[in-house]
Amino acid sequence: MARVCQVTGKTPITGHRVSHSNIKTKRRFLPNLLTKRFFLPEEDKWITLKLSAEGLRTINKNGLYSVVKELRAKGVKL
């Protein structure tokens, strides 16, 4: 599975690793992802989401059920 947040859509970005002598080589900045299980009481089942820290804050702010409804409207299978 790719390193993509299911809620915010964050993906890895690229940049440069810069040495002391200012030599630049490519590197990747990965999002802060975690796999988290949530209990959805409206459907009486557990769902597993791959979230960034910002996605977890979004769920805390808006509520799990509203975020799940938005994801299903986008076509994400949960």
Side-chain angles (χ1 to χ4, degrees):
M1 197 173 178
R3 292 184 171 109
V4 178
C5 175
Q6 289 181 302
V7 175
T8 61
K10 283 190 172 199
T11 59
I13 60 173
T14 59
H16 287 104
R17 179 175 286 118
V18 181
S19 69
H20 180 67
S21 62
N22 208 26
I23 296 171
K24 295 169 184 72
T25 56
K26 287 289 195 178
R27 65 159 289 184
R28 293 175 79 200
F29 292 94
L30 301 176
N32 183 12
L33 291 183
L34 52 119
T35 304
K36 182 97 173 104
R37 285 179 72 214
F38 294 98
F39 184 72
L40 199 58
E42 289 83 2
E43 299 177 9
D44 196 37
K45 69 177 188 177
W46 289 89
I47 58 169
T48 303
L49 295 173
K50 197 170 198 180
L51 300 169
S52 63
E54 185 182 341
L56 189 58
R57 293 182 69 204
T58 303
I59 288 176
N60 287 338
K61 181 180 179 181
N62 299 337
L64 178 63
Y65 192 64
S66 64
V67 172
V68 168
K69 280 199 306 189
E70 288 176 15
L71 288 175
R72 287 184 176 151
K74 289 180 191 175
V76 177
K77 179 145 171 54
L78 299 176

